[in-house]
Amino acid sequence: MLFDRVKRLSVELDCPEVASPPVFSSGESVAGRVVLELSGTARLGALHLHAQGAAKVHWTESRSAGSSTAYTQSYSDQVEFLSHRQTLLAPPDNGDVTVLQAGRHEFPFTFQLPESLATSFEGKHGSVRYWVKAKLHRPWASVKKAKKDFTIIEPIDINTPALLAPQAGAKEKLARAWYCNRGLVSVSAKIDRKGYTPGEVIPIFAEIDNCSTRTVVPKAAIIQTQTFVARGTKKQKKSVVASMVGDAIAAGKREVWHGRALKIPPVGPSILQCHIIHVEYALKVCIEIPGTSKLFLELPLVIGTIPLHPFGSRTSSVSSQYSVSLDWVRMGIPEEPEAPPEYSSVVSSEGPLETLSPPSQDGAPPGVLEGPFFAYIQEFRFRPPPLYSEVDPNPQSDAAIRPRCMTC
C-alpha cells in the first residue's frame, strides 16, 4: 500500500532457551512484546493482544446406503484451554487517534498460563495448538495482524510409584493348521517399570516356550495409539515407533530374553488428560506362528518428560543401568529416524486395519514427526547414571558375614 507507514508488526516471546517456537509448561508466566516499526509518522487506533490455545479434532467417514448410494458423515469437536485478551495501545479518552513517530516501538505484555493444559500435538485427525496474535487497528486502513506460535509440554514425572511399578503378563495359544493341533506356544514377559522417557532403553525379560511342531519367530515393538473423540465416536491411528526381531525358535525349544534391549526413539510424551485427544503407548510382544494367527502380549507404557532419578528406588536398580538423563534442546530433529516396520507386520490381522507405517514427511518442516509436539526438540544428550553394583565397598570381616540366600 502506498501510504502504509507500518514496515513491520511482529510478536516476540521471551524464553529461557533458544527455540522456535518457544516452549512453556502450564502455570508458567509468558512474557514478550509486540514490535511495531514505522517508516514515518502514523495515526493509530488500538493494539490488541489475544493468546489462545485449543484442541481440535475432525475427520470424515463415507458410509454406503444401498448398492449405489453413499453419504459422508463428518465428526468434529473442540476444547479451549487458553483465552487471554489484553489491550496494549488504547485510543485517547476523547476518541481521537494515537500519533507515533517513525522508528521502532515496543509494547511489552505478560500473562499467566492456566494450571491444566494439554501438550502441543499435531496428528492426522486433530491437533493441540497455542499462539499469540496481535491486531493493530488504524483509521481508514485495514487491520494489521501478527501471530506467534508457542509450544506447551506438560511435565510427566516417571518417578512416581505408579510409573515405577513393574509390568508383567503371560499368554498362550494353541497352534492349529487345517483343524489339526500343532501344539501350544506360550510367552511371559516383564519390564521393570511402566514409565520411560525418549532415548531410554527398555530391557525386556521374556520366556517363550514353543511346544508346537513349527518354528516360531518372536518380535517386540513399541506401539503408539492416537485416539480422537467427537460426538461420542472414536477414531484411532496406530503406528509402530520402534521394533526388534528375536531369533527363530525351533519346535520343542525354549527361548529366554535376559533384558533384550529396545530403545525408545524421539517420540512425544503421552497425552492422557485431554478429553478429545489421547496418545498412549504399549510394548507389544508378538510370536509369529506359521499356519495360524499370531500370539500377542501387550504391556502398557507411559512416555514421560522427567527421566528416572539416578538414585531411584531399589526396585528399579536393574532398569536404572539403562536409564539416561536427557537435555531438551528445542529445535528440529537433524536426522531422519530409521523407519520402523509397518504396524500390520507386528499386530493381528483381525478386522480391517489400515496400513500404519510412519507418517510421511512430505510438505512438513525438516525433521518434524507427527505426534505429541516433538518437532522442536533437536537431540538428546545422554549422561549415564552411576553404575549400580551389588558389591559392598566396605565389606565386613569373614567371621561377621552371614550366609546369604541367592534366591531372595
Side-chain angles (χ1 to χ4, degrees), residues 173-185 208-219 247-252 286-295:
K173 187 179 187 64
L174 190 63
R176 294 179 178 274
W178 297 102
Y179 304 101
C180 297
N181 185 355
R182 301 297 185 182
L184 191 69
V185 178
I208 303 102
D209 285 311
N210 182 16
C211 298
S212 71
T213 59
R214 304 292 181 89
T215 298
V216 300
V217 178
K219 296 181 178 180
D247 300 328
I249 305 173
C286 165
I287 311 298
E288 288 190 348
I289 308 172
T292 188
S293 59
K294 302 171 184 177
L295 171 61

Side-chain angles (χ1 to χ4, degrees), residues 59-309:
W59 74 90
T60 57
E61 296 180 0
S62 297
R63 303 182 183 275
S64 176
S67 59
S68 59
T69 305
Y71 67 96
T72 300
Q73 182 73 41
S74 296
Y75 298 88
S76 61
D77 202 351
Q78 177 175 339
V79 175
E80 186 177 78
F81 296 114
L82 170 66
S83 181
H84 170 81
R85 297 180 183 273
Q86 189 174 346
T87 299
L88 303 182
L89 177 64
D93 296 335
N94 58 9
D96 202 355
V97 295
T98 301
V99 179
L100 295 181
Q101 301 300 317
R104 177 186 173 96
H105 303 270
E106 294 187 359
F107 302 89
F109 63 84
T110 181
F111 59 89
Q112 194 81 16
L113 293 173
E115 288 296 334
S116 180
L117 296 175
T119 295
S120 297
F121 170 85
E122 290 292 333
K124 182 177 181 180
H125 304 296
S127 63
V128 181
R129 297 173 181 170
Y130 299 87
W131 66 91
V132 179
K133 182 180 292 185
K135 292 185 178 181
L136 177 63
H137 297 266
R138 301 170 293 171
W140 308 104
S142 60
V143 177
K144 199 80 170 179
K145 300 178 182 179
K147 183 180 178 182
K148 179 69 173 181
D149 297 321
F150 64 94
T151 300
I152 295 294
I153 297 182
E154 277 298 88
I156 301 178
D157 190 354
I158 68 171
N159 298 279
T160 61
L163 299 186
L164 290 176
Q167 305 295 305
K171 286 285 186 70
E172 61 181 23
K173 187 179 187 64
L174 190 63
R176 294 179 178 274
W178 297 102
Y179 304 101
C180 297
N181 185 355
R182 301 297 185 182
L184 191 69
V185 178
S186 62
V187 58
S188 60
K190 175 187 175 183
I191 54 178
D192 289 331
R193 48 191 162 96
K194 184 178 182 180
Y196 290 87
T197 52
E200 284 193 275
V201 170
I202 302 178
I204 306 172
F205 301 88
E207 292 186 2
I208 303 102
D209 285 311
N210 182 16
C211 298
S212 71
T213 59
R214 304 292 181 89
T215 298
V216 300
V217 178
K219 296 181 178 180
I222 299 175
I223 308 297
Q224 181 197 73
T225 302
Q226 301 176 9
T227 304
F228 307 91
V229 183
R231 295 165 47 190
T233 303
K234 294 183 179 181
K235 183 77 170 180
Q236 285 192 334
K237 180 180 184 299
K238 295 188 177 184
S239 58
V240 178
V241 299
S243 64
M244 55 155 288
V245 180
D247 300 328
I249 305 173
K253 299 295 183 180
R254 165 190 274 194
E255 175 75 11
V256 179
W257 288 358
H258 298 284
R260 183 69 68 93
L262 180 58
K263 186 175 181 179
I264 304 175
V267 294
S270 301
I271 299 180
L272 307 174
Q273 303 301 325
C274 183
H275 297 305
I276 61 176
I277 296 177
H278 307 279
V279 177
E280 299 169 299
Y281 293 89
L283 174 68
K284 183 166 289 189
V285 179
C286 165
I287 311 298
E288 288 190 348
I289 308 172
T292 188
S293 59
K294 302 171 184 177
L295 171 61
F296 294 100
L297 174 61
E298 189 170 304
L299 303 177
L301 292 175
V302 171
I303 302 300
T305 60
I306 301 177
L308 185 70
H309 295 328

Side-chain angles (χ1 to χ4, degrees), residues 11 58 161 371 373:
V11 180
H58 177 77
F373 225 72

